Amino acid sequence: LTLSINGSQTLLGLINDLLDVSKMEDGSMKLDYAPVDASELVNHALNQVALLSLQKKIALDAQIAPGLPRFDADNEKLRRTLVNLLGNALKFTPSDGTVTVAVRPGMN
């Protein structure tokens, strides 16, 4: 059941990505800005690719600095982007490798 739910979520994400590309091209894409917690964002994205990492025997490593401030962004689009990046990293990482996501304050 979990596999089919994850698979359908992945397929829905791909469809939404294609729709987003179309909206970007015609200028109708609207972003829904709201406060985002980086730790929650990364953990949610990692959970979405966890099954793929298990199947490929690739470790997922999250290095999230403590106390990061929330920031305004479109959480859904940012999460989908991160899931796509993680999916690509998993696709091109050899078995027994590690994919690391590091989140830390930027330099001003």
Side-chain angles (χ1 to χ4, degrees), residues 22-40:
S22 175
K23 288 177 184 178
M24 282 188 292
E25 288 175 349
D26 72 14
S28 68
M29 176 176 269
K30 301 216 182 321
L31 299 176
D32 184 22
Y33 287 97
V36 174
D37 180 284
S39 180
E40 289 176 12

Side-chain angles (χ1 to χ4, degrees), residues 22-89:
S22 175
K23 288 177 184 178
M24 282 188 292
E25 288 175 349
D26 72 14
S28 68
M29 176 176 269
K30 301 216 182 321
L31 299 176
D32 184 22
Y33 287 97
V36 174
D37 180 284
S39 180
E40 289 176 12
L41 174 75
V42 169
N43 286 323
H44 192 242
L46 289 172
N47 285 336
Q48 283 196 261
V49 298
L51 182 61
L52 180 59
S53 73
L54 287 173
Q55 291 170 341
K56 290 200 65 183
K57 298 179 183 170
I58 297 172
L60 291 173
D61 179 33
Q63 300 174 1
I64 303 170
L68 291 172
R70 295 173 74 83
F71 59 96
D72 287 338
D74 187 315
N75 188 59
E76 179 63 23
K77 289 179 181 64
L78 193 54
R79 183 192 50 76
R80 282 198 328 228
T81 301
L82 184 54
V83 168
N84 286 339
L85 289 170
L86 289 168
N88 285 337

